[in-house]
Amino acid sequence: IDFNDEQDFEFNYRKSKGNSINRPTGYVANGLYKDEQDLLNSPVTSFGNSYPGDIKYRDLNGDGKVDINDVSYIGKNNLPELYGAFYFTFLWKGFDLRGTLTFVGERTYNAYNVSTIAFYNVAGTGGQYDGNVQQFHWDNRYVPSDPSTWDKATYPRLSLAGRNHNAQTSTFWLENGAFARLKDLEFGYTLPLRITQNWHISKLRFYYSGFNLLTWHKMRTTAPEIGPSGNGYPVQRTHSFGVNIQF
């Protein structure tokens, strides 16, 4: 954005000029409240009660509280700024190998959505938070009664009440949406003509073909190509074997 006829914000981090279109805004997270003392020593927030194990936010303007004036541009757009593909082919004697490697970069994914937060109900029936807890939530949660989790927890305390504090758009929920994928791969072997001509066959090739075989990414709870809703269907991995015969 080179120009935007917007209000004159007191703090530059709130201005849209210089940021990409649709870049998200939110609070800057600073981990989780480790204990009650950490909570008392931190700036107060303006969006619901907070407890040890909840997300801690930064007071960007230094006024001792976290509110709308601390909202800044965070992360990148969900649409990638960088993408491409590599194609390769190797031939050696009767063997052949072909494939496509695709990649996406400069992309941020907001993980706070219907399929990646604890208890959220995606069935469409019952209450909004009548859903399940994923293994990721359980293994990485903050447990108030277990001090060993206070420093290493990467997911807030599990609770069905008082969720507004943790539900704010913030860097806590942003993930690196970059990924690389072995999109397709085909490996084959063609028998020598001196063998197949005895069978009146000009070409006999055996092959294996696979799609979406490997994906490298750092996302925690969902496939990297799932849309912002987090409730899409992931790409399928397929394998097939075949024979090509030419008479």
Side-chain angles (χ1 to χ4, degrees), residues 49-68:
N49 296 328
S50 56
Y51 304 90
D54 285 342
I55 300 173
K56 180 166 56 175
Y57 302 101
R58 290 183 179 177
D59 174 21
L60 297 184
N61 63 355
D63 63 356
K65 58 184 178 181
V66 178
D67 56 20
I68 189 64

Side-chain angles (χ1 to χ4, degrees), residues 54-124:
D54 285 342
I55 300 173
K56 180 166 56 175
Y57 302 101
R58 290 183 179 177
D59 174 21
L60 297 184
N61 63 355
D63 63 356
K65 58 184 178 181
V66 178
D67 56 20
I68 189 64
N69 292 313
D70 297 295
V71 171
S72 66
Y73 282 87
I74 56 177
K76 297 180 180 295
N77 199 320
N78 183 60
L79 299 176
E81 299 179 10
L82 176 67
Y83 55 90
F86 294 101
Y87 305 93
F88 58 88
T89 300
F90 297 101
L91 302 174
W92 183 70
K93 295 185 177 181
F95 295 95
D96 60 271
L97 178 67
R98 299 175 176 86
T100 303
L101 181 67
T102 61
F103 63 90
V104 166
E106 298 297 311
R107 169 181 178 253
T108 296
Y109 184 89
N110 184 1
Y112 194 89
N113 51 53
V114 297
S115 67
T116 56
I117 60 174
F119 301 114
Y120 205 102
N121 181 17
V122 299

